[in-house]
């Protein structure tokens, strides 16, 4: 006698598939989506400089109407009326944009040289660019404090060379923040550009040269357009984390360095205004979505062109 | 066509110098005998000795290692499941939401992630400390780990797994005995990424921890705010050395595997 065949061999398979999907799905629902909804709800609550609970209080579905009616936009109104917040948003975007452009200027020659380097060097060069990314962010910022502070390493070198007499006073300025962001996010810019440049078919450049194009012209008409997706990806990878950055403006910036991540931190930890920090967080996300949507449209257009 | 010339060499040297000089300066000054950070007072390892006496710092380092180890392990398991679902299950209901929840934490500013998780922990009345930081780190790092495993799984040759199933292995067994061993480098890379992200995190830990649990980055941060000291340089040097050994070691192992498989 053989054992009777499983009446539905697909059943245990489907169950297994469900479990595989359900575990990470439920995890993210509970620890990503729910917290996010709590922030959104908190941003509509009444401002109070104390610990929760915040008005309005949840009193069951029977009084849902009253609950919803008590939610309001006063935190957003405050954000719009107080110029500090608007200035902080604009300043974050400005500093992030400057850092992105400078990172591109620094990263492109490096990525270009890496893509041109002998094949057997390339794995080692890749590790060399990635390695700083693995070392602690905080430590890399700390290293710059030691260099930029008054009587720090940079001042000592500059004075020894006779380039300046007085300390440069770079620490605690916006310039130091930009420098710190370029330094910290440089690998994010180098890697996608390198990946794009490395894929370029050399015969295209040879063809351009055969047709009489000088190297500088081939660079602008062949290399740069083909590297464009890498350049765009690198810019986004620098720009997006730079906008919400907290550690760099806090440690390298001065008292008048305004960045929205720092404002959120201060509202939360110093002023203990949770509803207002939640509203700051929601607006910050809205600011971030804008460049992403632009990128997605550009990507779709690029795909359509092919 | 011009190949690798002096211009390329100069660009490489300048770029790498920019990346490594600040770290090098920090490491050199950790061996400075003088307490004045910029005056060279001779070679000394006294700050490393002082480090061993700093119980607060050692406690924080131990806590951070525990959090990083635990959260990276759970995150990698969740990421493996998530990557399998995303790559193998085609279009299931809720896929857009699922993919969105995997992608969103990657671009969400840390201050927002930290704030939202804290509000959740407060709402459900969880005591903040070791466990809340670990839960927060699992949530963040599993998304990064998923991306790493997913990219490897997409390129995976399924005929091997199908062959195992044709020979009578149930799907889960084929996955465990055929697919998983081949995925090991990607899973290891995902675990390492999760581990370093957790070990390095200041912002999310600051939001989600309580008075009982202070992580190493939080300790370093409060020390750094007070100024530059050779002792922090020494602690930083040890951390850098640890990461450098692990990353270079892993890439050498990966290279050896690649050579062997050819």
């Amino acid at each position: 006698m053989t054992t009777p065949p499983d009446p539905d061999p697909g059943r245990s398979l489907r169950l297994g598939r469900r479990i595989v999907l359900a575990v990470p799905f439920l995890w993210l629902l509970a620890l990503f989506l729910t917290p996010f909804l709590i922030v959104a709800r908190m941003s509509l609550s009444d401002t109070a400089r104390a610990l929760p609970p915040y008005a309005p209080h949840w009193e069951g579905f029977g009084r849902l109407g009253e609950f919803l009616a008590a939610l309001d936009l006063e935190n957003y109104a405050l954000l719009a009326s107080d110029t500090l917040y608007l200035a902080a948003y604009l300043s974050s975007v400005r500093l992030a944009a400057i850092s992105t452009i400078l990172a591109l200027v620094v990263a492109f020659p490096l990525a270009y040289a890496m893509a041109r380097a002998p094949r057997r060097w390339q794995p080692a060069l890749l590790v060399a660019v990635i390695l700083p990314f693995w070392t602690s962010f905080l430590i890399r910022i700390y290293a710059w404090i030691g260099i930029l502070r008054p009587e720090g390493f940079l001042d000592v070198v500059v004075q020894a060379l006779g380039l300046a007499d007085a300390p440069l006073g770079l620490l605690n300025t916006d310039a130091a923040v930009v420098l710190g962001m370029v330094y910290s996010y440089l690998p994010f810019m180098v890697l996608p550009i390198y990946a794009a440049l490395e894929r370029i078919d050399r015969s295209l450049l040879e063809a351009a040269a055969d047709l009489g194009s000088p190297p500088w012209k081939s660079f602008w008409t062949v290399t740069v357009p083909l590297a464009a997706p890498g350049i765009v990806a690198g810019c986004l990878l620098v720009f997006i984390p730079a906008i919400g950055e907290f550690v760099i403006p806090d440690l390298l910036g001065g008292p008048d360095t305004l960045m929205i991540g720092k404002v959120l931190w201060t509202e939360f930890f110093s002023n203990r205004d949770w509803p207002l920090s939640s509203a700051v967080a929601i607006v910050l996300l809205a600011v971030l979505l804008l460049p992403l949507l632009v990128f997605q449209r550009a990507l779709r257009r690029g795909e359509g062109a092919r | 066509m011009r190949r690798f010339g002096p211009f390329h060499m100069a660009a490489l040297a300048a770029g790498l110098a920019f990346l490594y000089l600040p770290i090098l300066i920090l490491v050199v000054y950790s061996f400075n005998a003088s307490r004045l950070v910029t005056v060279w007072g001779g070679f000394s390892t006294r700050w490393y000795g002082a480090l061993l006496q700093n119980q607060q710092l050692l406690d924080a380092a131990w806590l951070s290692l525990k959090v990083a180890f635990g959260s990276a392990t759970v995150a990698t398991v969740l990421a493996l499941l998530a990557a399998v679902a995303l790559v193998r299950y085609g279009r299931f209901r809720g896929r857009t939401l699922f993919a969105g929840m995997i992608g969103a934490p990657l671009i969400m500013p840390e201050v927002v992630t930290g704030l939202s998780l804290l509000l959740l922990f407060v709402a459900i009345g969880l005591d903040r400390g070791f466990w809340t930081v670990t839960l927060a780190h699992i949530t963040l790092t599993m998304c990064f780990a998923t991306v790493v495993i997913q990219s490897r799984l997409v390129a995976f040759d399924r005929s091997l797994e199908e062959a195992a199933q044709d020979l009578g292995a149930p799907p889960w067994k084929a996955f465990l005995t055929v697919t998983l061993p081949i995925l090991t480098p990607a899973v290891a890379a995902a675990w390492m990424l999760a581990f370093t992200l957790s070990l390095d995190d200041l912002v999310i830990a600051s939001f989600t921890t309580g008075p009982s649990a202070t992580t190493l980055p939080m300790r370093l941060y409060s020390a750094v705010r007070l100024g530059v000291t050779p002792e922090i340089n020494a602690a930083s040097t040890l951390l850098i050395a640890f990461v450098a050994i692990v990353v270079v070691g892993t890439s050498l192992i990966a290279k050896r595997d690649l050579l062997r498989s050819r």
Side-chain angles (χ1 to χ4, degrees):
Chain A
M1 268 283 294
T2 52
T3 50
D6 188 345
D8 184 4
R11 216 180 64 186
S12 65
L13 192 63
R14 282 201 300 274
L15 183 69
R17 283 169 60 124
R18 262 195 208 138
I19 293 172
V20 165
L21 177 61
V23 173
F25 204 120
L26 291 177
W27 184 285
L28 287 172
L29 278 184
L31 282 130
F32 175 73
L33 198 62
T34 314
F36 181 71
L37 295 176
I38 296 176
V39 171
R41 174 236 183 271
M42 178 75 80
S43 75
L44 300 170
S45 302
D46 292 336
T47 298
R49 282 166 204 280
L51 286 172
Y54 291 100
H57 308 300
W58 177 252
E59 283 158 1
F61 284 100
R63 305 181 70 178
L64 181 68
E66 282 168 49
F67 175 76
L68 288 178
L71 293 174
D72 55 43
L73 293 170
E74 66 171 332
N75 293 308
Y76 294 96
L78 182 63
L79 287 188
S81 65
D82 192 334
T83 48
L84 167 82
Y85 299 102
L86 184 65
Y89 280 111
L90 290 179
S91 161
S92 300
V93 172
R94 188 176 61 94
L95 290 177
I98 297 173
S99 308
T100 307
I101 292 166
L102 283 179
L104 178 61
V105 170
V106 176
F108 196 90
L110 178 58
Y112 188 75
M114 281 170 67
R116 281 278 177 279
R119 281 265 159 229
R120 62 200 154 80
W121 291 14
Q122 292 200 2
L125 287 173
L126 265 179
V127 172
V129 170
I130 297 170
L131 192 58
F133 160 75
W134 289 89
T135 55
S136 167
F137 193 69
L138 195 58
I139 289 174
R140 284 181 289 151
I141 298 305
Y142 170 70
W144 277 104
I145 298 181
I147 294 171
L148 295 177
R149 73 200 187 92
E151 305 302 319
F153 188 82
L154 189 66
D155 278 354
V156 170
V157 170
V158 165
Q159 282 167 26
L161 294 173
L163 295 173
D165 305 325
L168 297 171
L170 274 175
L171 187 63
N172 302 329
T173 62
D174 284 1
V177 175
V178 169
L179 181 62
M181 297 214 274
V182 171
Y183 181 71
S184 306
Y185 295 126
L186 195 65
F188 291 130
M189 186 66 96
V190 173
L191 294 177
I193 297 180
Y194 163 78
L197 287 174
E198 199 247 354
R199 272 200 301 268
I200 292 180
D201 189 348
R202 295 262 168 91
S203 57
L204 289 174
L205 290 169
E206 283 162 15
D210 288 347
L211 294 170
S213 165
W216 62 267
K217 199 173 176 191
S218 310
F219 176 78
W220 285 109
T221 55
V222 179
T223 310
V224 169
L226 286 173
I231 294 173
V232 173
C235 287
L236 278 176
L237 285 175
V238 174
F239 186 69
I240 287 175
I243 287 187
E245 185 53 55
F246 162 72
V247 179
I248 298 174
D250 187 59
L251 289 178
L252 295 180
D256 42 317
T257 301
L258 266 181
M259 284 198 75
I260 201 64
K262 205 176 139 189
V263 169
L264 197 163
W265 180 284
T266 316
E267 284 302 340
F268 185 83
F269 284 105
S270 307
N271 301 345
R272 299 196 154 258
D273 190 337
W274 294 15
L276 190 63
S277 349
S278 302
V280 173
I282 297 290
V283 179
L284 172 54
L285 284 181
V287 172
L288 277 184
L289 279 179
L290 204 68
L292 278 178
L293 291 177
V294 171
F295 175 65
Q296 228 171 15
R297 276 191 59 185
L299 206 68
R300 224 171 281 153
R301 207 179 307 143
E303 274 170 6
R306 250 171 232 162
Chain B
M1 213 191 85
R2 275 183 307 153
R3 296 272 314 170
F4 193 70
F7 162 75
H8 301 105
M9 198 66 200
L12 268 189
L16 292 179
F18 178 60
L19 280 176
Y20 282 94
L21 262 184
I23 298 175
L24 193 70
I25 294 169
L26 180 147
V27 170
V28 167
Y29 275 102
S30 76
F31 293 105
N32 188 357
S34 161
R35 179 168 269 289
L36 294 166
V37 198
T38 41
V39 181
W40 184 254
F43 179 87
S44 157
T45 53
R46 62 186 275 211
W47 304 113
Y48 290 86
L51 218 52
L52 291 178
Q53 306 296 317
N54 190 335
Q55 196 55 43
Q56 275 192 334
L57 205 65
L58 292 179
D59 288 345
W62 179 234
L63 176 78
S64 275
L65 282 174
K66 278 193 293 190
V67 170
F69 191 86
S71 62
T73 306
V74 177
T76 308
V77 173
L78 288 172
L80 189 61
L81 298 178
V84 167
L86 281 174
V87 174
R88 295 285 176 84
Y89 289 4
R91 297 187 171 274
F92 52 85
R93 232 190 309 160
R95 188 195 159 95
T96 313
L97 175 66
F98 187 53
M101 288 193 300
I102 295 281
L106 304 180
I107 57 154
M108 194 116 126
E110 286 175 317
V111 280
V112 179
T113 312
L115 175 68
S116 68
L117 281 162
L118 168 71
L119 294 186
L120 172 79
F121 295 144
V122 169
I124 59 177
L126 212 57
D127 267 345
R128 277 173 283 152
F130 172 80
W131 289 107
T132 47
V133 177
T134 307
L135 284 175
H137 281 182
I138 292 170
T139 310
L140 175 77
T141 58
M142 74 173 274
C143 299
F144 286 89
T146 304
V147 174
V148 173
I149 299 177
Q150 197 184 350
S151 64
R152 183 74 189 80
L153 201 58
V154 166
F156 187 79
D157 181 4
R158 287 195 73 173
S159 58
L160 289 170
E161 206 176 303
E162 281 158 10
Q165 288 185 35
D166 288 346
L167 293 170
W172 61 268
K173 200 171 178 187
F175 185 84
L176 286 184
T177 54
V178 177
T179 314
L180 203 54
I182 300 175
L183 281 183
T184 302
V187 173
W191 188 90
M192 262 182 58
L193 182 62
F195 184 83
T196 28
L197 283 172
S198 165
L199 198 63
D200 196 21
D201 167 66
L202 165 72
V203 174
I204 293 172
S206 300
F207 274 99
T208 53
T209 193
S212 64
T214 306
T215 64
L216 183 61
M218 290 171 66
R219 244 332 142 221
L220 285 177
Y221 172 71
S222 51
V224 165
R225 287 194 64 132
L226 294 178
V228 176
T229 69
E231 208 176 321
I232 311 178
N233 282 21
S236 307
T237 303
L238 287 180
L239 263 177
I240 292 169
F242 174 71
V243 170
I245 289 169
V246 172
V247 172
V248 173
T250 327
S251 67
L252 286 179
I253 292 171
K255 194 179 166 190
R256 201 192 57 191
D257 284 353
L258 198 71
L259 289 178
R260 201 189 286 159
S261 68
R262 268 185 196 161

